[in-house]
Amino acid sequence: MRSFVDTNVLVYADSADAGVKQTMASAPIARCLREGAGVISTQVRHEFVNAALRNLDLHALRGFSVWGALILQPARQSGCAQVLTEDLQEGAVIGGLRIVNPFAAPVAGKARRARKR
């Protein structure tokens, strides 16, 4: 069934501290994704981004653009150990996240050790 999803449902589905509401919001969104039956408007997208920006821990991620923080904060909240990107400094640890550039050339010493195993 084709369904329009409002901002509050998206916010609850994305919120790790929403408890049972997260589960309740995630289920219909997952169904919409499986069936290709979900609809959101430009307004909903804007409201969702604004809600996400309000919840960013920019102090811990200071020195980064809002766009960089929009990548790093959800990765932290999701319990990720690393971020795969070419847009941040390879090897840096930011807010507990290791930055890994999948396109960077391997370091000579690391490549030799990997071959010996």
Side-chain angles (χ1 to χ4, degrees):
M1 171 185 350
R2 197 155 175 83
S3 301
F4 187 92
V5 182
D6 196 10
T7 309
N8 56 344
V9 177
L10 295 174
V11 169
Y12 281 124
D14 188 53
S15 180
D17 61 354
V20 70
K21 282 191 173 183
Q22 182 184 34
T23 304
M24 294 172 74
S26 297
I29 291 172
R31 181 189 52 76
C32 286
L33 289 171
R34 274 193 315 276
E35 297 173 5
V39 176
I40 63 171
S41 66
T42 302
Q43 177 66 27
V44 167
R45 283 187 288 186
H46 286 282
E47 289 175 358
F48 181 76
V49 168
N50 283 330
L53 287 173
R54 281 193 307 273
N55 292 326
L56 282 178
D57 182 5
L58 293 175
H59 177 71
L61 302 173
R62 68 178 162 267
F64 291 93
S65 71
V66 169
W67 303 113
L70 283 171
I71 297 299
L72 295 169
Q73 184 67 15
R76 287 177 59 204
Q77 288 177 330
S78 300
C80 295
Q82 64 184 15
V83 174
L84 304 175
T85 181
E86 66 177 343
D87 293 335
L88 297 169
Q89 182 182 350
E90 165 74 20
V93 177
I94 304 166
L97 296 165
R98 176 160 305 283
I99 305 303
V100 176
N101 181 347
F103 307 110
V107 176
K110 286 184 183 178
R112 272 190 236 114
R113 278 187 294 244
R115 276 189 243 129
K116 288 182 182 179
R117 292 183 186 175

